[in-house]
Amino acid sequence: QADVALQLQVVPGGSFMSATVRPESDKVFLFVNPTSGGRVGEVFLEAPHPLRVDLDEEDWEVSLYTYSLLEGKPGDKPGFHALRQEVANGSVVRCIVGGGDGTVMWVVGEAERHGVDPKTQMHIGIVPLGTGNDFSQHLGWGGSNPSKARLLANDYALLEQLVRSWCKARPAMHDVWQLSFNVHEETGEIYQKDKPLDKLSVTTPMLLYCGVAKDAEVAYQVELHRTKSQLCNKLVYAAMGMRTMLHFLCCRGQRVRRVISGMYAGVDKNAPAVFEHKHHNEAPRLLSNPEMLLFLNIDSIAGGTARRLWDTSYRLGVREPLDPDLLERGQDPGDNKLEVITLRRLLRLVMPTNNILAGRRVFQGAPIHLAFRKKRELVTYLQVDGESYKLLNPDNLTIEHKQQISVLHAPRSGSLTGIISVLQLFNCTSNAQVGSPNSSSDEDSDGSQTALTNGKP
């Protein structure tokens, strides 16, 4: 069967690419973490290898190849060897990740170790098998783990429908950031799950978001009580959030001003100040005494409960922002920029409101440098894409652009097949969102064009 070329075009001023329905390769790769989703991931490995799927209204088929991410050693995994062979002839392959948010960067890293470029040789989609599933929510694939019983029932009908949705998904560029932080070399300590690490600095990729102060404190407490059940983990998150929110009654808890002395639009303190907290200093200052500082690369966090945080942040969070038109700026996960906001109350992360507890805009751009206050026994919290840390006497934090990857957004509302397959598979109509909030019209707010169907808009 002849390959059908995938036509890609980077749209000036936006990160979305136009594409025909048919992928260049007639193979779809599914990389699964078998332990994710209460071991739901291992059910995918029971499907035929390959599973051949006829596409709706198309006289051709694709083959789904499923591989376990646990098979083989880092840099020497059978699935990625097969992927490298497929892209060697110039093909662009649709690769689906079965796992949580962290599994995405696991796949990206393995692809690079095997000589596959995640920006030009693969388009990455996801099957949500984690707890929050923020990346899956952002891309429109929903947030609920699939049902074991229904996944492979009726001769794999639901899995086949999902494959069809993957083939109709539209690719877009997505930024990946590198985040580095360190603590004081003599008195500092970095903890994960209340265990000190044997190092004073950490460098990690950031795909979704970073939070400093109260939201990160909640995430850290959740990690200490994490279970294998998605529902139980969400209940733990709610309980820890309520406990942390009550800290303000006794003047306890994290505040941005208590832990951060300044933020700068560069890689060190010599860059222009976004805000500073120094006496007799004319630098811009934060407004409203917020409980948390968020760096956003997607439009929702907290498992999809906190949606459109940048869009609904209609006020300034800093006096005299570096960009006088900050309130007019849109959000694009592929524009080499981060959006920075403050939230005065942790409650905003679970409130479906646009006004009462809305965030405040602080900055848009990159790179970004944070300097922490120099206090004795200063303790604060940090979370990066769901991984949380407790920092004793932190020194500084820097976020820089690392690379871009090509990701797959779920089919829009015009594709009923895509919608039905996703809703049926995850058996949860309330959580399966079709398309990101920035994709609600035929043309995105930043000018990005929609995907093409059979070569026509």
Side-chain angles (χ1 to χ4, degrees), residues 120-315:
T120 62
Q121 295 180 312
M122 55 193 294
H123 300 312
I124 302 172
I126 188 168
V127 175
L129 298 179
T131 299
N133 296 314
D134 287 307
F135 192 55
S136 178
Q137 297 265 12
H138 166 70
L139 296 181
W141 298 109
S144 297
N145 297 341
S147 165
K148 286 184 178 181
R150 303 185 65 189
L151 185 59
L152 304 181
N154 300 323
D155 294 329
Y156 317 105
L158 293 182
L159 182 56
E160 290 180 358
Q161 282 291 82
L162 193 54
V163 172
R164 295 185 183 104
S165 295
W166 295 336
C167 291
K168 293 182 179 181
R170 57 194 177 97
M173 286 293 109
H174 191 95
D175 293 321
V176 179
W177 303 86
Q178 179 170 284
L179 185 147
S180 304
F181 62 90
N182 57 68
V183 297
H184 192 277
E185 60 182 9
E186 295 181 358
T187 61
E189 199 84 71
I190 302 174
Y191 295 87
Q192 268 196 302
K193 297 182 180 180
D194 271 3
K195 295 181 179 180
L197 304 183
D198 58 353
K199 52 187 177 182
L200 299 177
S201 64
V202 171
T203 298
T204 181
M206 188 186 91
L207 183 69
L208 310 176
Y209 61 90
C210 169
V212 179
K214 186 159 287 189
D215 69 302
E217 180 182 4
V218 174
Y220 188 84
Q221 296 299 327
V222 170
E223 283 297 318
L224 297 179
H225 302 86
R226 180 173 293 276
T227 71
K228 295 183 179 181
S229 166
Q230 183 187 36
L231 177 60
C232 290
N233 287 335
K234 289 185 176 181
L235 293 176
V236 170
Y237 196 103
M240 294 301 162
M242 289 297 297
R243 188 182 73 171
T244 304
M245 281 189 290
L246 293 176
H247 285 172
F248 78 90
L249 295 177
C250 53
C251 300
R252 295 179 56 226
Q254 298 283 306
R255 292 279 182 177
V256 174
R257 290 180 177 178
R258 294 176 183 173
V259 298
I260 296 176
S261 64
M263 173 178 158
Y264 307 87
V267 296
D268 55 35
K269 295 174 66 173
N270 295 321
V274 178
F275 66 81
E276 284 185 324
H277 296 304
K278 295 181 179 179
H279 295 294
H280 309 295
N281 190 316
E282 296 182 355
R285 294 183 175 233
L286 278 181
L287 299 172
S288 79
N289 194 22
E291 291 184 339
M292 66 198 79
L293 181 67
L294 297 175
F295 304 86
L296 304 173
N297 196 41
I298 58 175
D299 52 15
S300 68
I301 64 174
T305 59
R307 297 185 180 277
R308 303 178 62 240
L309 284 174
W310 178 256
D311 290 343
T312 58
S313 297
Y314 62 93
R315 298 171 294 177

Side-chain angles (χ1 to χ4, degrees), residues 81-93:
H81 287 305
L83 176 61
R84 182 176 60 187
Q85 293 177 358
E86 183 65 17
V87 302
N89 60 10
S91 297
V92 180
V93 180

Side-chain angles (χ1 to χ4, degrees), residues 313-316 323-329 361:
S313 297
Y314 62 93
R315 298 171 294 177
L316 290 175
D323 181 2
D325 297 321
L326 185 62
L327 293 180
E328 308 300 322
R329 303 303 183 191
R361 296 189 180 190

Side-chain angles (χ1 to χ4, degrees), residues 16-19 170 412 441-444 448-452 457:
F16 283 101
M17 300 176 292
S18 59
R170 57 194 177 97
R412 298 189 179 193
S441 62
D442 291 339
E443 183 171 343
D444 294 298
S448 303
Q449 297 178 1
T450 61
L452 300 181

